[in-house]
Amino acid sequence: MRSTDLSFSLDDLNPSQKDAVTSTEGPLLILAGAGSGKTRVITYRIAYLLEKRKVPPYAILAVTFTNKAAGEMRERVISLAGKRGRPVWISTFHSACVRILRQHVEKLNVSRHFTIADANSSLKLIKDILKEMNVDEKVLSSRRVSWLISRAKNSLVGPENMSELEEVKRDHLLERMVQAYHMYEERLRGSHVFDFDDLLFFTYRLFEEHPDVRKSYEDLLHYILVDEYQDTNHAQYQIIRQLSTHRRNLCVVGDDDQSIYRWRGADITNILSFEQDYPDAKVVSLMENYRSTGHILKAASCLISKNMGRKEKELVAVRPDGLKVLAYSSFDERDEADFISANILDLMRREGFSSKDFAVFYRINAQSRSIEDSLRRQNIPYAIVGGVRFYDRLEIRDLIAYLRFILNPSDWTSFERIINSPGRGIGKVTMDRIRSAADPETTPEGAAKRTVAAGTVNKKTGASLQAFLNTITALREKTELVSLDEFVVCVLEDTGYLPALQSENTDESRTRIENLQEFRTVVDDFLKSEISEESVSGTEKLSTFLDQISLVSDIDSWADKGSTVTLMTLHTAKGLEFPVVFLSGMEEDLLPHYHSQGEPAELEEERRLCYVGMTRSKERLFLTMARRRRLFGKYDNAFPSRFFTDLPEENVEMHQDTPFPIPGLIRKGGIQASAGGETIPISEFHYEPEHVDGEETLPPGTQVRHPMFGVGQVMSVDGSGGEARITVYFPKGGKKRLIAKYANLQVL
DNA sequence: TACATCCTTCTTTTT
DNA sequence: GAAGGATGTA
């Protein structure tokens, strides 16, 4: 096909990619395997719509999951199609919803000047509610309630229908949960605050209850594109449907093997049943992997093929085999980290890799510590993505709470956060008085004024409270008078926040001040960016700014330009690629994670997570584990991840220096490391038994046979007699906790 | 009301 | 092994 009328060439694409780009009409599912050029296809497709099909840019909506992905997509579209591509609506789900809600949410009787609560604020609110309800945290934890409410909202279920939720249907605490959900909603609405999930839920309701609004978007958006479709939740799924039922020009892109957000409500069946939803859908599979060398890809493919809930498919390696995947089993997490540093140094020295070529992945953030220590010892520059987030720091949260409260006088949560920060002598007692002076309609300030007027608090407290109110009022007036960066300084100064930190003059306070300085650069960056328009009012600008920082993710703030090794969780790694990847902590209870071993579906998600990690690698892949690891401050013995047994021997081998064998893997150089994966010499494990039961008949290390799991080794025994709980490690089935009298174990 | 100290729980993963 | 909550003391 000649394409001289295009400013880019379709010849850069392989046949299926070309097919995906040019099939513009009707529902289309693009199954894009790891490394198959997905972003390329999406951006070419948008450019093709603009240039070939002459679609006006504002008629295209592309949604992704992170701002980073959206930003990159926009850049690449513009580089293909020129500035014509600029007005294309490329956004995250949440940002798109905010934009829609800011415009129309008043139709749902919600103020359009809402603020967005971060996860901390909403958890705090739930805590308060449970306390008011006299619910014991131990019986029903705020985290569980928060999770369930989130789950409900993602499933488009309000408090009145909560009993429909599978998770709680028969729970005897259902009534409490429903009540908590009701109260939570009441507080949020009274505060003109949305939580993350509300952004989706209310957009859905807006479209459902106001077909005219929905129609206006439907008429505008002729082409809709959804990236990472495998990670959409029900709410997102329905919103997409609402916008695309009429024109049906819906293109979804994803890979069921890379669905890793089930715990957050993502529904993998959205992608698996797309063809049932749209029987006339065209399906294009991109199954050529351009990223990884053969051994890496084959190992990863073999691993993922063990999952049941997936579309049968096989990625084809375009690149040559390269080197085998290397497994390393270390003594402890420090040893593991040192192995990683040593190999980084070695590869830099001998093969010319530079530090930015390396990534170290782990299952949980807590693992980063030992790796950081080792890298620091070796003077290897590194950057951590995620972890303790900038926006989660105490002083940053305080400042944001001030900004939110100035903007939204109904925001109780923010008010409570700032009222005594810095200390103003307003403690729990006064706060209780203020709260009891409020009815659902009063703002915190109204209630505070009433409290002062009623004279129920002592003079000094009253005066202090009044001074605080005056400061806020004055700041509110300043919003329109000074620029946003100056305004932030005013807030810090006028509220006494910064002066209080300065007079503290400790290491800690100096760090906090530095962080607040850093926040000012965030403001500056915002003011320089294109989202910030000159024409809008100060209030409007502050509002846009707060929206933006509420919706940033860890990965968004990662500048991959630096020359550092990158450390991040497996979840954050999705969508990225590195020449050399270390996947650390390949242990039972870590990957797969301890909490994911209940349901098979959860285990499959862990396997996908491992798959995502492996497929990030272009040239070299190391899988490392530690035989004992310190978690929660104490050492625990660890066992090789069951995922090792899913890996093919032809593509994976043990590093020649590995001190411990991993069942099923051959040591480099051809020495058989373990007897066919049948047993692990338990003597090689360092044991620190927590307690030794006098009557114990099964000391750790005893070989036992189980009718289902085969031969295994006893790790520990808890209790005695028939009720004893025995933990056994089975090379075939992983770690199992068994009750002695039912387990039917045969001692060998 | 504020601050110190002890204790508990926590860690999956995050828009 | 840290951070937040509960408890006790000034």
Side-chain angles (χ1 to χ4, degrees):
Chain A
M1 168 166 46
R2 296 265 302 154
S3 44
T4 43
D5 50 335
L6 300 178
S7 62
F8 56 94
S9 170
L10 291 175
D11 297 337
D12 301 344
L13 305 168
N14 72 29
S16 37
Q17 288 176 334
K18 205 180 283 181
D19 192 16
V21 167
T22 55
S23 303
T24 55
E25 309 306 301
L28 173 69
L29 166 63
I30 303 175
L31 284 171
S36 63
K38 179 189 72 167
T39 312
R40 193 184 183 79
V41 166
I42 297 176
T43 49
Y44 271 70
R45 186 181 161 87
I46 294 172
Y48 186 83
L49 284 169
L50 292 169
E51 293 200 0
K52 182 78 178 183
R53 300 274 189 249
K54 307 288 180 223
V55 176
Y58 49 80
I60 303 172
L61 168 68
V63 279
T64 64
F65 274 80
T66 66
N67 297 296
K68 181 169 180 282
E72 283 171 1
M73 204 179 284
R74 180 176 300 107
E75 256 173 52
R76 286 175 71 168
V77 167
I78 292 170
S79 81
L80 285 175
K83 63 176 191 290
R84 197 179 148 71
R86 206 171 285 275
V88 176
W89 193 2
I90 302 178
S91 154
T92 65
F93 266 104
H94 288 82
S95 310
C97 288
V98 170
R99 182 161 141 186
I100 293 166
L101 289 172
R102 287 258 177 246
Q103 217 158 16
H104 305 284
V105 77
E106 281 175 343
K107 297 194 172 68
L108 292 173
N109 294 320
V110 179
S111 161
R112 65 182 213 88
H113 300 292
F114 62 85
T115 42
I116 302 166
D118 53 76
N120 284 313
S121 314
S122 63
L123 187 63
K124 169 79 167 56
L125 184 50
I126 289 168
K127 263 185 195 150
D128 292 347
I129 288 168
L130 291 179
K131 206 170 277 175
E132 271 172 55
M133 288 169 59
N134 281 321
V135 173
D136 186 353
E137 273 269 341
K138 285 184 190 103
V139 177
L140 184 59
S141 73
S142 50
R143 296 183 66 241
R144 172 137 196 263
V145 173
S146 161
W147 184 82
L148 286 169
I149 291 177
S150 172
R151 180 49 65 97
K153 289 183 176 180
N154 286 163
S155 313
L156 303 174
V157 167
E160 60 288 343
N161 301 324
M162 199 183 197
S163 51
E164 290 170 13
L165 270 192
E166 281 306 323
E167 286 87 347
V168 293
K169 247 180 186 160
R170 305 199 191 294
D171 200 303
H172 68 289
L173 294 167
L174 182 60
E175 299 263 308
R176 297 274 173 103
M177 297 175 193
V178 171
Q179 195 196 343
Y181 189 2
H182 268 293
M183 287 173 72
Y184 177 69
E185 283 304 285
E186 207 178 279
R187 295 289 165 83
L188 286 182
R189 301 294 81 83
S191 295
H192 304 312
V193 168
F194 281 144
D195 65 18
F196 286 138
D197 306 312
D198 284 332
L199 299 174
L200 302 173
F201 198 0
F202 275 76
T203 302
Y204 170 80
R205 280 166 44 178
L206 174 72
F207 287 159
E208 209 56 21
E209 290 165 30
H210 297 274
D212 53 318
V213 179
R214 162 177 158 159
K215 189 162 181 306
S216 70
Y217 281 98
E218 238 192 324
D219 289 347
L220 179 71
L221 303 167
H222 293 198
Y223 293 88
I224 296 176
L225 226 143
V226 186
D227 190 17
E228 307 281 16
Y229 192 64
Q230 77 281 357
D231 281 326
T232 47
N233 61 35
H234 185 67
Q236 289 161 332
Y237 171 81
Q238 288 295 349
I239 291 169
I240 292 302
R241 284 194 75 107
Q242 286 173 322
L243 290 177
S244 60
T245 40
H246 176 56
R247 288 189 194 268
R248 302 171 61 79
N249 286 329
L250 172 64
C251 168
V252 303
V253 189
D255 178 7
D256 49 314
D257 290 335
Q258 295 185 65
S259 167
I260 54 173
Y261 284 105
R262 185 188 121 93
W263 51 276
R264 205 168 76 187
D267 187 353
I268 194 172
T269 56
N270 289 346
I271 191 165
L272 293 177
S273 52
F274 187 80
E275 292 150 272
Q276 274 108 69
D277 291 342
Y278 299 89
D280 56 329
K282 173 164 180 160
V283 182
V284 177
S285 295
L286 307 177
M287 289 299 136
E288 276 162 293
N289 176 297
Y290 296 93
R291 181 186 295 147
S292 310
T293 47
H295 280 304
I296 294 170
L297 188 70
K298 284 168 201 164
S301 301
C302 184
L303 171 82
I304 202 64
S305 71
K306 305 287 197 269
N307 268 4
M308 307 306 287
R310 71 187 284 261
K311 283 180 187 280
E312 202 58 51
K313 58 188 158 318
E314 185 88 49
L315 270 177
V316 182
V318 171
R319 302 189 59 189
D321 272 353
L323 293 169
K324 287 191 183 184
V325 177
L326 285 177
Y328 182 79
S329 169
S330 63
F331 179 66
D332 57 16
E333 81 282 353
R334 196 183 150 126
D335 183 17
E336 179 188 44
D338 287 342
F339 172 82
I340 292 171
S341 319
N343 276 278
I344 289 174
L345 289 175
D346 189 56
L347 286 169
M348 289 203 287
R349 230 172 267 144
R350 295 203 310 185
E351 303 194 29
F353 286 103
S354 73
S355 48
K356 67 169 187 339
D357 295 333
F358 299 92
V360 185
F361 300 150
Y362 35 79
R363 180 64 178 81
I364 63 173
N365 280 307
Q367 280 172 262
S368 73
R369 195 191 189 91
S370 52
I371 297 162
E372 281 179 75
D373 287 346
S374 179
L375 293 172
R376 216 179 297 121
R377 279 198 301 275
Q378 302 296 333
N379 287 317
I380 301 170
Y382 66 88
I384 297 192
V385 184
V388 180
R389 302 181 64 207
F390 178 68
Y391 293 103
D392 280 344
R393 295 188 187 177
L394 180 95
E395 60 279 10
I396 302 300
R397 275 155 69 187
D398 285 342
L399 175 53
I400 292 174
Y402 270 109
L403 296 175
R404 283 197 187 135
F405 184 63
I406 287 164
L407 198 62
N408 176 4
S410 307
D411 188 341
W412 276 90
T413 314
S414 296
F415 172 77
E416 286 181 34
R417 178 162 193 108
I418 59 178
I419 181 73
N420 201 33
S421 178
R424 299 187 175 90
I426 298 163
K428 192 176 169 298
V429 178
T430 313
M431 195 53 232
D432 284 344
R433 295 234 167 85
I434 296 174
R435 214 173 317 166
S436 57
D439 51 64
E441 297 301 307
T442 25
T443 62
E445 283 158 291
K449 272 178 205 148
R450 268 185 223 170
T451 312
V452 175
T456 46
V457 293
N458 70 46
K459 249 196 199 131
K460 209 170 133 213
T461 313
S464 173
L465 195 50
Q466 189 56 56
F468 171 78
L469 296 175
N470 296 343
T471 309
I472 294 294
T473 312
L475 279 169
R476 239 174 234 141
E477 282 161 15
K478 263 190 191 168
T479 323
E480 298 301 337
L481 302 177
V482 298
S483 71
L484 189 54
D485 45 344
E486 289 170 87
F487 181 68
V488 168
V489 177
C490 291
V491 170
L492 288 171
E493 289 290 343
D494 299 357
T495 58
Y497 196 90
L498 192 59
L501 277 178
Q502 279 158 344
S503 63
E504 225 178 279
N505 199 28
T506 58
D507 280 349
E508 197 193 343
S509 71
R510 275 188 289 273
T511 312
R512 295 198 190 287
I513 292 169
E514 275 169 33
N515 287 332
L516 292 169
Q517 294 291 354
E518 178 62 27
F519 189 86
R520 291 183 57 194
T521 65
V522 176
V523 176
D524 283 340
D525 289 347
F526 167 77
L527 290 175
K528 278 186 216 130
S529 73
E530 52 187 299
I531 322 168
S532 152
E533 290 162 46
E534 273 311 306
S535 54
V536 301
S537 70
T539 313
E540 205 85 13
K541 206 170 261 188
L542 176 57
S543 168
T544 314
F545 174 67
L546 286 179
D547 283 351
Q548 197 199 309
I549 62 174
S550 301
L551 299 174
V552 294
S553 67
D554 286 334
I555 195 68
D556 294 338
S557 44
W558 179 58
D560 50 358
K561 308 283 179 277
S563 52
T564 60
V565 173
T566 307
L567 275 56
M568 66 177 87
T569 65
L570 286 165
H571 283 87
T572 327
K574 191 173 75 166
L576 306 176
E577 60 177 30
F578 296 89
V580 185
V581 166
F582 295 87
L583 210 173
S584 70
M586 287 280 296
E587 294 143 38
E588 283 295 293
D589 288 350
L590 203 49
L591 184 66
H593 191 269
Y594 177 70
H595 285 303
S596 314
Q597 301 188 4
E599 279 177 70
E602 290 182 333
L603 197 62
E604 298 216 333
E605 176 142 315
E606 296 288 306
R607 191 177 277 109
R608 290 194 291 268
L609 207 44
C610 187
Y611 174 76
V612 166
M614 291 176 75
T615 52
R616 300 309 93 201
S617 169
K618 293 160 86 167
E619 318 275 337
R620 299 295 177 84
L621 175 60
F622 294 83
L623 307 173
T624 65
M625 64 159 295
R627 275 296 151 95
R628 56 178 208 142
R629 179 179 297 278
R630 203 148 80 150
L631 275 181
F632 305 121
K634 73 174 188 19
Y635 274 105
D636 261 326
N637 291 303
F639 289 83
S641 168
R642 68 190 71 188
F643 298 147
F644 274 119
T645 49
D646 294 340
L647 297 173
E649 271 179 44
E650 316 83 270
N651 310 113
V652 186
E653 64 187 1
M654 292 218 300
H655 192 277
Q656 54 195 353
D657 297 336
T658 199
F660 300 106
I662 296 172
L665 294 182
I666 310 285
R667 199 191 294 255
K668 196 174 180 178
I671 306 154
Q672 183 80 18
S674 66
E678 210 38 65
T679 58
I680 298 170
I682 207 85
S683 57
E684 292 198 25
F685 288 85
H686 178 90
Y687 262 99
E688 288 179 273
E690 277 197 1
H691 77 104
V692 179
D693 198 310
E695 290 180 319
E696 207 161 58
T697 53
L698 294 170
T702 310
Q703 290 218 17
V704 292
R705 185 189 298 281
H706 185 273
M708 247 166 80
F709 307 122
V711 177
Q713 311 252 357
V714 175
M715 288 168 72
S716 65
V717 180
D718 223 26
S720 59
E723 301 299 330
R725 296 171 63 82
I726 309 172
T727 311
V728 185
Y729 177 75
F730 298 99
K732 293 271 161 59
K735 193 159 128 187
K736 302 281 176 210
R737 290 176 188 82
L738 308 161
I739 313 258
K741 65 178 169 188
Y742 305 120
N744 236 336
L745 288 175
Q746 185 193 347
V747 179
L748 298 175

